[in-house]
Amino acid sequence: MNLLSLEGKTCLITGSSQGIGFQTANLFVQHGAKVFISSRDENSLNLALEKIKSNYPKSEIFAIKCDVSIESEVKLLFQTIFKTYKSSLDVLVANAGILESSLIGMVTKEHLNKIFSINTFGYIYCCQYASRLMMRNSMGGSIIGISSIMGLSGYSGYSIYSGSKAAIIGVTKSLSKELATSKIRVNCLSPGYIQTNMTQGLPDKNKEEVMKMIGMGRFGNPQDVANAVLFLASDMSSYITGEVLSIDGGMAK
C-alpha cells in the first residue's frame, strides 16, 4: 500500500497559481488527487490550470477564483467544492499569502489590515469552512497551513509580516487540539528562503545576508516545500497533528 497516495482524495490549495501552491498542485495530481486550485488573480490561475492539464490531461483539476481575505468569497469557494463532488473535503493547503516589508515607525492601519486579512484571517476563514466539510467524512482530514521562518524567528523590517505568520502557528496549535476528536489533523510548515516570485523582490543585500544563515548553502525551491506538504496531506503522517515543520536548510535559530 502506498501511504503517499492521494487517490480518491479531494484537495484544495489556495494561492496556487504559482510558486509553492502551483508546485503542490502538480504533485497532488501526480499522486491521484482531485485538486481545486485557487487564487485571487484569475488570469494567472487560468494559466496555471492550463499548464497542469497539459502535463496531466487525465487529471481532475478545477480552478476557482477566490480572495481569501473576503469571507463571502471563501464561503462560496467551499460551497462550489461541495457541489462539484457532493462529498467532503479531505485536504486543505492554506497557502495564500503576501510578503511586504515595513519598518515599525512607518506601519499604517491600511498595511496592518492588508497583511493580516490575507495571511491570518484568510487562513482562519479557510480552516473554518474546511473543518465543516471534513466533519462530514468519518475519515477526517488534513489541514496544512503555510507559516514562515519569520513567524518563528522574525526578521528586521518585517515585524507585521512575521506577526501574521506567527499567528498561523498559534491557530494551528489550538485547532489541532480542537479538531482531533473529529480525526482532523492540523499542521503547518515554516519555510525558510524559497525562490519564488514572492521573494524575488527582496534586495540583493538581504539575500546575501540570508544565504550566510543557511547551513546547507542554498536557497530552497517550491518542490522542497511541496514534498513536505504531500507528506502531511497523506496517510504517511496519520498520527501527526499540531506540529510546525521547518523547511529552511538549517536556517532557523
Side-chain angles (χ1 to χ4, degrees):
M1 183 173 64
N2 181 7
L3 292 177
L4 281 176
S5 173
L6 299 179
E7 195 72 39
K9 292 191 176 183
T10 302
C11 307
L12 166 64
I13 307 164
T14 66
S16 45
S17 63
Q18 58 187 359
I20 292 170
F22 176 76
Q23 197 61 48
T24 300
N26 267 288
L27 193 58
F28 276 22
V29 165
Q30 290 175 40
H31 284 76
K34 294 175 284 190
V35 177
F36 288 85
I37 59 173
S38 177
S39 170
R40 59 180 177 165
D41 185 337
E42 191 166 20
N43 290 332
S44 62
L45 182 64
N46 289 333
L47 285 174
L49 180 65
E50 290 174 9
K51 288 179 183 177
I52 296 174
K53 279 190 170 182
S54 65
N55 291 331
Y56 308 99
K58 294 183 179 180
S59 62
E60 292 186 74
I61 183 165
F62 309 87
I64 306 174
K65 179 181 178 296
C66 178
D67 183 340
V68 298
S69 69
I70 302 174
E71 191 267 346
S72 59
E73 290 195 17
V74 176
K75 180 179 181 179
L76 181 60
L77 170 64
F78 283 88
Q79 287 177 335
T80 303
I81 292 171
F82 177 72
K83 289 177 182 177
T84 301
Y85 283 113
K86 299 295 183 185
S87 65
S88 64
L89 181 71
D90 298 291
V91 178
L92 164 67
V93 183
N95 175 68
I98 56 172
L99 171 65
E100 290 185 3
S101 64
S102 183
L103 296 173
I104 194 63
M106 304 298 291
V107 172
T108 64
K109 183 177 180 180
E110 288 72 24
H111 179 73
L112 279 167
N113 287 339
K114 180 181 180 181
I115 297 295
F116 274 88
S117 64
I118 295 175
N119 292 357
T120 307
F121 298 164
Y123 177 56
I124 294 170
Y125 294 148
C126 287
C127 286
Q128 182 181 49
Y129 285 100
S131 62
R132 291 175 182 173
L133 274 186
M134 289 177 181
M135 285 178 184
R136 292 173 169 269
N137 183 358
S138 61
M139 299 301 291
S142 176
I143 294 174
I144 304 155
I146 307 297
S147 180
S148 166
I149 189 171
M150 293 192 206
L152 288 171
S153 56
Y155 194 76
S156 178
Y158 289 85
S159 58
I160 306 307
Y161 174 79
S162 298
S164 71
K165 289 296 188 176
I168 289 176
I169 295 173
V171 171
T172 296
K173 293 282 187 181
S174 294
L175 280 183
S176 69
K177 294 176 172 60
E178 180 178 333
L179 299 176
T181 56
S182 298
K183 299 180 183 178
I184 299 172
R185 298 178 289 113
V186 190
N187 297 286
C188 73
L189 302 178
S190 175
Y193 186 97
I194 307 299
Q195 292 180 307
T196 65
N197 290 341
M198 183 183 290
T199 57
Q200 280 181 352
L202 291 174
D204 289 339
K205 181 180 178 181
N206 292 64
K207 294 177 183 178
E208 291 171 5
E209 291 175 354
V210 170
M211 180 60 81
K212 293 176 183 178
M213 301 165 63
I214 301 174
M216 295 184 73
R218 72 169 177 89
F219 293 135
N221 59 63
Q223 187 68 53
D224 292 321
V225 183
N227 290 339
V229 176
L230 175 62
F231 168 70
L232 290 175
S234 74
D235 291 339
M236 189 72 80
S237 59
S238 61
Y239 200 57
I240 298 174
T241 193
E243 291 302 313
V244 181
L245 177 60
S246 293
I247 307 167
D248 56 27
M251 183 180 173
K253 295 181 179 179

